[in-house]
Amino acid sequence: MRDFLDRVYTGRNEPWRYMLTVLLSFVVSNVGAGFMVGLFLVAILIITGRMDAFGDIPGFSWPALLIMVAVAFSTSMFFLYVGLKFIHRRDFISAVNSRGSVEWRRILSGGVAWFIIVGILDLISIVMDPSSVRLKFTPAFWWLLILALLAFPVQASFEEIFFRGYLMQGMWMIIKRPIPLMIMNSLIFSILHWWNGTNLTMSLSITASTFIIGLVLALITLADDGVELAMGVHIANNLYVSVIHSSPEAGLGNLPSLMVSPSDPYASPLALILASALLVAILFRGRYGDVLDVLRYRG
């Protein structure tokens, strides 16, 4: 845990460096990405002569949103790299792990574990209440799969490196105990997801669920001295809730996923607690001491 968090001290950490890096990674990158995607969509509309060139409704249909996600977060990742390398004067990998290189096996392990857990729990839920889900398959599914594979790996990877790496390391300089550190980090992470819901109830549910998963991802990161496992979990989660089983209320609208159902905002956080416990049990089997060390640490 300390090996990873203390990487923050390998660079320069004046407050203005954090403000500038956050500004570049979130504001400048998203404005620039929005401009680029806007130009792209205008070009498509001119070429095709159709206002619904990428979907069944005019404007920001789900393909346009996924394209924007891919471009925006690729730009955010670039500016985060610039911020770490040239503003903070430390290596980008220092916000990923304490081992010196990305371990792809860990990303795959986290993703596979979460995908299986969510899939099994989802299957149990469907068996208990088949009427809650509608199965469908259309040719548009393949476009969704392609765009999701382009968008969500980079989006989830950026969020993990930024929140569980860069930001949590920066907060470590002030908050020297893991549990308050994880709570504050997850609170910031969850608040920024408030606008993913389409109504008040859904926003509350998404924020609560994001706080829970944020806590678990922070714990996994500290116990594993790196964000790779958390990256895999985050990527698998976003792919599952978009490509496999989606809800029109969850932010991206009517996706041509394999299964569609109206969200149950009250069950989601409860299911996440069970899924998260299973995740930690699977990923850290044989080394639960690493998890306990984080929870017991007092400085």
Side-chain angles (χ1 to χ4, degrees):
M1 178 189 74
R2 285 290 302 270
D3 287 344
F4 176 64
L5 292 174
D6 284 347
R7 293 289 170 178
V8 69
Y9 296 115
T10 63
R12 306 183 67 175
N13 296 303
E14 292 84 356
W16 70 266
R17 298 179 191 274
Y18 282 93
M19 289 188 285
L20 182 56
T21 300
V22 171
L23 179 68
L24 290 172
S25 298
F26 279 96
V27 180
V28 175
S29 61
N30 279 276
V31 171
F35 180 72
M36 287 186 288
V37 172
L39 289 179
F40 175 75
L41 292 177
V42 167
I44 291 294
L45 295 177
I46 292 174
I47 293 171
T48 63
R50 295 175 55 198
M51 288 302 294
D52 58 349
F54 277 111
D56 48 64
I57 59 172
F60 277 128
S61 58
W62 62 263
L65 286 173
L66 287 179
I67 291 171
M68 179 168 280
V69 167
V71 175
F73 282 97
S74 296
T75 311
S76 293
M77 187 76 84
F78 169 76
F79 278 114
L80 180 59
Y81 175 86
V82 170
L84 282 162
K85 189 73 174 178
F86 300 104
I87 299 174
H88 286 277
R89 306 284 183 169
R90 64 183 176 111
D91 291 335
F92 182 77
I93 194 66
S94 67
V96 177
N97 62 43
S98 60
R99 294 175 284 270
S101 62
V102 176
E103 296 194 0
W104 301 100
R105 178 182 59 81
R106 277 180 154 87
I107 298 176
L108 182 62
S109 297
V112 170
W114 187 249
F115 205 89
I116 292 174
I117 290 170
V118 174
I120 292 174
L121 293 178
D122 201 18
L123 180 61
I124 293 172
S125 175
I126 292 170
V127 170
M128 293 176 63
D129 184 12
S131 64
S132 66
V133 63
R134 178 168 58 92
L135 300 176
K136 69 172 186 176
F137 178 81
T138 66
F141 167 81
W142 299 112
W143 284 112
L144 172 63
L145 179 61
I146 292 170
L147 291 176
L149 288 172
L150 289 173
F152 292 128
V154 67
Q155 173 255 333
S157 296
F158 167 79
E159 289 190 358
E160 290 310 310
I161 296 171
F162 181 87
F163 286 102
R164 254 63 69 179
Y166 174 74
L167 184 60
M168 193 155 65
Q169 287 174 335
M171 295 169 69
W172 173 246
M173 294 187 295
I174 301 171
I175 305 173
K176 290 296 188 178
R177 295 196 174 185
I179 293 178
L181 176 66
M182 292 188 296
I183 291 173
M184 288 302 299
N185 183 267
S186 302
L187 186 61
I188 295 170
F189 179 65
S190 63
I191 289 174
L192 293 177
H193 284 76
W194 172 268
W195 292 273
N196 286 13
T198 56
N199 54 60
L200 177 61
T201 302
M202 197 62 201
S203 292
L204 287 170
S205 174
I206 289 174
T207 302
S209 298
T210 306
F211 178 76
I212 293 169
I213 195 66
L215 274 177
V216 176
L217 294 177
L219 175 61
I220 289 172
T221 295
L222 295 183
D224 199 50
D225 268 330
V227 302
E228 289 103 331
L229 287 176
M231 285 169 58
V233 172
H234 200 153
I235 292 169
N237 182 77
N238 287 7
L239 288 175
Y240 193 93
V241 300
S242 59
V243 176
I244 306 299
H245 194 167
S246 68
S247 167
E249 295 182 356
L252 286 174
N254 290 297
L255 298 176
S257 49
L258 294 178
M259 296 182 288
V260 178
S261 63
S263 292
D264 183 350
Y266 306 104
S268 181
L270 297 175
L272 262 180
I273 294 173
L274 173 59
S276 298
L278 291 172
L279 177 69
V280 173
I282 292 171
L283 292 181
F284 290 91
R285 62 191 181 279
R287 57 186 187 113
Y288 297 126
D290 293 337
V291 176
L292 294 176
D293 286 343
V294 174
L295 299 176
R296 293 170 177 169
Y297 183 84
R298 295 293 181 269

